[in-house]
Amino acid sequence: MEPGDGYQTSDKVPATKSTIVDIHTHVYPPSYMELLRSRSNPPYVRDSRLVILPGGDSGRPIGPVYYDIREKIAFMDTHDIDISVISLANPWLDFLPSDEAGKAATSVNEEINDLCSTYPKRIYGFGTLPLSADVDAIVAEIQSLKGLHYIRGVIMGTSGLGKGLDDPALEAVWAALQEHEMLVFIHPHYGLPAEVYGPRAADYGHVLPLALGFPLETTIAVTRMLLAGVWDRFQKLNVLLAHSGGTLPFLAGRIESCIQHDAHLLEKGTLTHRRSVWDVLRENVFLDAVIYSTTGLRAAVEASGADRALFGTGHSRSESSTSAETDVDTGTDHPFFPPLEKSETKWMSAVANLQAIQDAFDGSPEAAQDVLGRNAIRILKLDVMEK
């Protein structure tokens, strides 16, 4: 692939006042697309449509914007984004048999690293782990990721090895991630049981699973990690939570109070020598700013600090389409929200996140610039092209 073949070459970042870094932006690299096309059960691609989860959904249209890195650059240029940290979109490799996952992870990670090298200092990446493989294979992949120049962490769903992120079997994985100082981007995919949305759920499109299911999935997964004492044992394990941590910033006080007043936990002795929810939020948790509102962003900042918030768009699919063509199922990595009208050139979601940051830090431009890019540059050790 030639960087400038039919696209603007983007050999320098846009001339903006501050560097903007998008840390929540996804791709399906070509080898992953081949894998999806070879399958007959979800997730699969058939007749130019992607189906992620079982259940009769017809899927969504799929095109080059999913897998062509030049489309990513075009999106960045349209929205004045200087650097993107790309990651494989859900469902990652969770569905693969154990004996296939390790090889697939190595292939995808090397391909993402190669894609990043096509646009040095503009594209970095998060790696993917073979979580359906045995723990030794997962640890080996973590070690090999350190040798990939553009990889800055890993992305992981909430199911872990299949039993959630509080699974004791993950101990060796957490240890390896901590040892190699790999940031873990925790992202939802599985949502909540369909019955919680009620018998009229179909009348409401995908609003309930995307607006509520995904954030609550993240909140529950991380709370289970807290209750299991993951950060008591791995005090240097750092995570980046998608969608501003779900509802965690808003519910942190309630979660902490419930823990402190739980007789069962007291009897078990787990209330002694534990780190509080607030301590973990301020020492081990980073939050993306994919929240679309000043109110939500301020809650995230209050919970973890302005130095731990990072801009993100959630971009993966921006195919211009009419509303009738835009299909987003419960497996979609929110927020996608592509333009519904072909005449729209900018994503309202990306614009809304940028505006929320500017409004939340009105009167404090330095703090806004930190969230827009400088935090990510510092945390992920990104090389920045001089403007």
Side-chain angles (χ1 to χ4, degrees), residues 145-183:
L145 286 173
K146 295 299 292 184
L148 298 181
H149 180 72
Y150 295 97
I151 298 301
R152 292 299 189 268
V154 299
I155 187 168
M156 180 185 294
T158 63
S159 70
L161 306 180
K163 297 181 179 179
L165 301 184
D166 56 348
D167 184 357
L170 278 168
E171 294 288 287
V173 176
W174 299 136
L177 290 166
Q178 176 177 262
E179 177 186 353
H180 293 287
E181 299 180 340
M182 300 287 284
L183 180 68

Side-chain angles (χ1 to χ4, degrees), residues 44 50 60 80 85 87 107 230 281 287 376:
Y44 63 81
L50 170 67
R60 69 176 73 86
D80 293 330
V85 186
S87 53
S107 175
V230 171
L281 274 170
L287 302 173

Side-chain angles (χ1 to χ4, degrees), residues 223-266:
T223 302
R224 287 171 59 180
M225 293 176 71
L226 287 160
L227 290 168
V230 171
W231 283 287
D232 297 331
R233 296 185 297 281
F234 303 101
Q235 298 195 12
K236 299 297 182 181
L237 176 67
N238 291 324
V239 300
L240 167 65
L241 302 184
H243 315 131
S244 292
T247 61
L248 189 62
F250 182 77
L251 293 178
R254 182 177 179 85
I255 294 168
E256 181 64 24
S257 179
C258 287
I259 292 172
Q260 292 180 359
H261 291 89
D262 193 280
H264 176 70
L265 296 180
L266 177 64

Side-chain angles (χ1 to χ4, degrees), residues 269-286:
T270 56
L271 297 184
T272 306
H273 306 302
R274 57 170 288 271
R275 297 177 65 194
S276 72
V277 176
W278 296 112
D279 182 44
V280 172
L281 274 170
R282 291 164 180 160
E283 296 293 331
N284 300 92
V285 171
F286 298 97

Side-chain angles (χ1 to χ4, degrees), residues 33-45:
M33 289 295 299
E34 291 177 12
L35 173 63
L36 294 179
R37 291 189 181 105
S38 71
R39 293 175 52 80
S40 57
N41 295 317
Y44 63 81
V45 170

